[in-house]
Amino acid sequence: MAEKIAQDGANSSVQKDQSMEIQKRMLAAHAEKLWKAKEEGKKVVYTFVPGNLTELILASGALPVYPEINALQSGMRNLSADYIQEAERIGHSEDVCTYVKCDVGMMLKGNVGPTGVKLPEPDLLLLSYTGCFVFMKWFENLKQHYNCPCVMLHVPYQADGVVTDAMKQYVVDQIRDDVIPALEKVTGKKIDMDELRRRMQLSRQAEDDLVWTLQSAKRKPSPIDAYFVGVYYIGPLFSAFRGTEDAVEYYRALRAEVEDRIKSNLGPMTPEGVLAKERYRLVVEGPPNWTSFRDFWKIFYDEGAVVVASSYTKVGGLYDRGFRHDPEHPLESLAEYCMGCYTNLNIPSRIDLLEHYIREYNADGFIVNSIKSCNSFSAGQLLMMRELEQRTGVPGGFIESDLVDPRYYSQANIKNRLESYFQMLAQRRAAGSAVLHGVS
Amino acid sequence: MSKTMERPSSQAAEAAHKEIIDSCQRIYYDVRLEAIAAWKKEDPAARKAVAYLPVYAPREIFVGSGVRPVATFGGGDQVNVIRGDSFYQSYICHLPRSVVELGLSSWKDTLEGLVAPAICDVIRNVSGVWKVLFPDKLTYFLDLPQNFQSKCGGKFYLSQLQELAEHLSKMSGRKPDADAYREAIVSYNRNRRAVRALAKMRVENPHWVPAWEYYLLVRAGDQMDADTHTDLIEKYIDLAGELNRPEQDNARIMVVGGFCEQPPLNLIRTIERSGCYLVDDDFTLGYRFLEQDADENIDPFQSLVDVYLKHSTYSSVKYEGDTPKSKRLVETALAKRADGVLLMSPSFCDPSLLDRPHFQKALEDAGIPYSTLQYAENLGQFAPIREQTGTFAEAIKLWGEG
Ligand code: SF4
Ligand code: SF4
């Protein structure tokens, strides 16, 4: 039976509230802006998280909406099952990406966002096509419903693990010749390049603090969980707030909070308080399940398992590998950013990255959460797992779930698998220390 | 019920026709590429073969660079997938499994490389899997542009073609020579014209060109050089009208959605036998992806870029731009005088399945009957599909008469 190891930490829970409060305030303010957008004549741009051009959208004076985020929040609020059903009713297959179906279903049911507020219809669909082909199909579907223009930004894939000059030029050409004119046409004003630079400078500051926070997990014990809590940490920077003062403030506060946790030698926060004892350090590949997020997380923290690094927290940018938005070269830098997101890396680069995490973060194991309806992540994960085990000697665990379709999440199954996995890690550790103490 | 006068075919025509189909069938069943292996054995130092995955790859670049292009659509229902299954979860389409299975067995000694055109996340990731499994072979991800302006997507695509040509020329040891690429364009233009003529024939006289024969004929190009393939198709076209093939009271069906993983041949026959004439399908779309000739008189690389940007067909794997694919679908169905459309997708195929709802809507709006079905390349049970397509064909005929 899982040991109860979480404890309350009054001090840290206050700190948790502080950073969360800032984020909550930011989200509420953005929701309000969206709510009033039409009334105030603001233009609304729908776009995707990986490879997003948020600084550019904000510099144009428009407001961004991210359908993936609406989908994941719908999943967390138990709304997704109905939306998915609605999409399947109009002919969507059971076999395709559930984010798309959740979003389409939400739209068909009146486009009331997960917070209960009706979302404004898009004035522009900005199809930044990074790391997943489904994005193209997604907006081709939305185009049928919304009578608005759509601009495509095709981001080449890092098939050889490098960004060539031709790739970069291609993206820059599209941003300059297609995306900027489309934004200007919709908003009716020219984009101020100095404003874009200013925003990119703000992005850099926030990016530095996010990286510091994520890398704090190299410590033992780790002060953060880089997956279950990490998804909250990446929120502002991966979405509507990159390039804003708010994001800078949020990440500064977050960093201070984590610094305090380190001083107090505290482990990560869980929904049941601070994790008292770090038993296993894990790396996780793949997105989490959102419909049973808390239950899923509980399986980990009940066992004292802390995720010290994850690939999912890199879908909106690999800042920890050195990338920063560069105000001196705004378009080139946006192009590099788009091409550097995690799912735009080929399988060998993804293996290299995870290997690096396993070693750098001193992981005891790694888990692959294979998402049934996401080929972008999932196709190739079994080979990745085998390679990682061979290269590092660290054992991998494999579970399957879905992002927002509750039909494909089985708590009992996943719990069983993970518990056996943790047992195996414990046995290995015991055997290892027995060998170390000469009693094998 | 026969609509046309029966007239006996000449024995010579029957025999020639049988010979053609038999030879195509041999190629179709040679998923292990034994014929390519034998061809290479005759001159191992000089002969190189590189496979490409669906849907479209510019074969002219292969040939001009001195490499034999081999089209592969996976293993169909002929490969017992064992190792391939350990690479892919159950909720991923079947094609990458058989590709890996074959890659790890017979192909690894026959092929010098694999080209993976950018059509979906699975194929994209297959290119990475291939790189890990075969680090010494060529793996080229052909990032076909989704931007169709010459100075943008065109410029990028040109760089892709040049890069691919460099890799292939290095492999073959042939010095890049514009004339060689131009000659290849001439051959493939002729080949595409022949395939288009065959496709047109089945629109006009579907009883002359059964779908499975059309399919086998086109698929013969998977392993043949362009001119031999073209000659074969032209010979078939010459013979087709001479055979005694009375017209049946079948429904004229267009099939859409099977552009990558292929249905088993027997599934195509099953659909046809259930009372359908397939007046169009996109199973072998790559052979007709370019709807016009590439210019034979300009720089060959630029010519291939231009024709791709301006004259490639609409498809689920291409961004539709300002012209919805669903509109193109309806236009095509009307142009081919299809009585109905079968939206037929491989299971778990994102590009195909995500187009389905708006295809359905457009067909409904246009009053064109449709039916949907899913398959896998290794499907073994055809009875439910025969039942479904038979009922669909009957219903169409009833509506049509009403
Ligand atoms: S397939 Fe995966 S990466 Fe693509 S949109 Fe869906 S969830 Fe996102
Ligand atoms: S069948 Fe569909 S999902 Fe599978 S590889 Fe082909 S296009 Fe991709």
Side-chain angles (χ1 to χ4, degrees), chain A residues 375, chain B residues 93 95-96 119-120 122-123 259-261 346 348-351:
Chain A
N375 286 335
Chain B
C93 60
L95 177 124
I119 62 162
C120 75
V122 173
I123 294 275
F259 44 82
C260 179
E261 181 175 321
F348 305 105
C349 175
D350 280 328

Side-chain angles (χ1 to χ4, degrees), chain A residues 13-29:
Chain A
S13 94
V14 171
Q15 288 164 349
K16 176 200 87 171
D17 285 343
Q18 190 192 346
S19 72
M20 284 197 118
E21 276 313 313
I22 298 175
Q23 192 172 139
K24 252 162 94 181
R25 200 187 64 216
M26 289 157 70
L27 288 168

Side-chain angles (χ1 to χ4, degrees), chain A residues 1 36 39 52 71 109 135 149 166-167 169 174 184 196 206 208 217 232 235 256 313 315 332 338 340 354 393 431:
Chain A
M1 202 176 70
K36 292 185 180 161
E39 188 187 314
N52 68 63
K109 288 196 153 201
F135 291 145
M167 288 159 73
Q169 192 58 49
Q174 292 175 81
E184 291 179 339
L196 176 62
D208 282 346
Y232 292 98
T313 50
V315 288
E332 290 77 5
C338 290
L354 290 166

Side-chain angles (χ1 to χ4, degrees), chain B residues 15 50 75 77 88-89 98 105 108 129 135 152 168 187 195 206 210 240 254 271 291 306 308 322 340 362 391 402:
Chain B
V50 169
D77 55 358
Y88 292 100
Q89 300 89 314
S98 57
S105 51
K108 71 176 188 304
V129 166
C152 190
L168 296 173
S187 289
V195 176
M254 179 168 125
I271 295 171
E291 293 180 317
D306 291 349
Y308 182 82
D322 293 332
T391 311

Side-chain angles (χ1 to χ4, degrees), chain B residues 181-298:
Chain B
Y181 293 108
R182 211 168 281 125
E183 265 171 41
I185 287 179
V186 171
S187 289
Y188 281 106
N189 274 343
R190 198 181 140 232
N191 184 256
R192 282 184 288 265
R193 283 199 293 272
V195 176
R196 283 198 290 266
L198 186 66
K200 187 161 174 261
M201 181 179 252
R202 81 171 165 158
V203 173
E204 286 160 3
N205 291 296
H207 54 296
W208 286 2
V209 191
W212 70 278
E213 286 190 5
Y214 172 90
Y215 184 75
L216 285 173
L217 265 168
V218 179
R219 287 282 312 263
D222 294 359
Q223 296 184 24
M224 278 181 181
D225 68 83
D227 292 334
T228 312
H229 186 220
T230 309
D231 293 345
L232 194 77
I233 295 174
E234 286 176 349
K235 204 162 153 199
Y236 179 94
I237 290 174
D238 286 346
L239 285 169
E242 289 182 28
L243 301 174
N244 172 27
R245 291 192 153 163
E247 192 175 353
Q248 307 290 320
D249 185 22
N250 283 354
R252 292 171 63 93
I253 301 294
M254 179 168 125
V255 179
V256 181
F259 44 82
C260 179
E261 181 175 321
Q262 300 292 288
L265 184 61
N266 279 336
L267 179 55
I268 299 175
R269 294 177 98 146
T270 299
I271 295 171
E272 197 156 43
R273 284 177 183 160
S274 73
C276 301
Y277 279 134
L278 269 54
V279 291
D280 192 26
D281 64 60
D282 60 359
F283 298 140
T284 50
L285 189 65
Y287 285 89
R288 293 186 284 139
F289 210 78
L290 305 182
E291 293 180 317
Q292 288 192 17
D293 284 357
D295 192 331
E296 295 169 4
N297 301 309
I298 61 169

Side-chain angles (χ1 to χ4, degrees), chain A residues 87 90-97 100 127 129-134 136-138 140-141 143-144 150-152 154-160 164 166-167 169-170 173-174 177-178 343-348 350-351 370-383 386-387 398-401, chain B residues 83 85-93 118-122 124-133 139-141 143-147 149 151-156 159-160 163 167 315-326 346-358 360 374:
Chain A
I90 65 154
H92 277 286
S93 159
E94 268 192 32
D95 293 349
V96 299
C97 169
V100 179
L127 202 182
Y129 175 76
T130 298
C132 175
F133 285 83
V134 167
M136 180 174 91
K137 313 306 296 176
W138 192 336
E140 281 180 348
N141 270 275
K143 270 170 83 204
Q144 308 287 316
C150 178
V151 61
M152 149 73 86
H154 176 208
V155 175
Y157 181 54
Q158 280 204 40
D160 293 323
T164 64
M167 288 159 73
Q169 192 58 49
Y170 178 38
D173 287 347
Q174 292 175 81
D177 298 342
D178 294 338
T343 45
N344 205 48
L345 306 184
N346 69 357
I347 298 278
R350 283 170 63 185
I351 296 170
S370 176
I371 297 295
K372 181 180 182 289
S373 65
C374 177
N375 286 335
S376 174
F377 259 102
S378 304
Q381 277 175 332
L382 292 171
L383 173 75
R386 224 171 302 155
E387 282 286 307
F398 188 80
I399 50 176
E400 296 172 319
S401 69
Chain B
R83 278 186 285 181
D85 274 343
S86 67
F87 282 74
Y88 292 100
Q89 300 89 314
S90 57
Y91 35 81
I92 290 170
C93 60
I119 62 162
C120 75
D121 297 312
V122 173
R124 185 195 74 175
N125 290 2
V126 164
S127 75
V129 166
W130 209 261
K131 263 183 191 291
V132 174
L133 292 177
T139 307
Y140 192 77
F141 179 75
D143 217 342
L144 293 158
Q146 298 289 3
N147 174 297
Q149 293 151 23
K151 61 182 177 22
C152 190
K155 201 163 74 179
F156 173 68
S159 75
Q160 290 270 294
E163 201 176 75
H167 284 299
S315 153
S316 293
V317 298
K318 254 182 71 185
Y319 179 53
E320 65 184 21
D322 293 332
T323 316
K325 274 178 261 239
S326 46
S347 295
F348 305 105
C349 175
D350 280 328
S352 182
L353 289 166
L354 283 164
D355 269 343
R356 209 169 70 178
H358 51 104
Q360 287 181 198
Q374 280 179 226

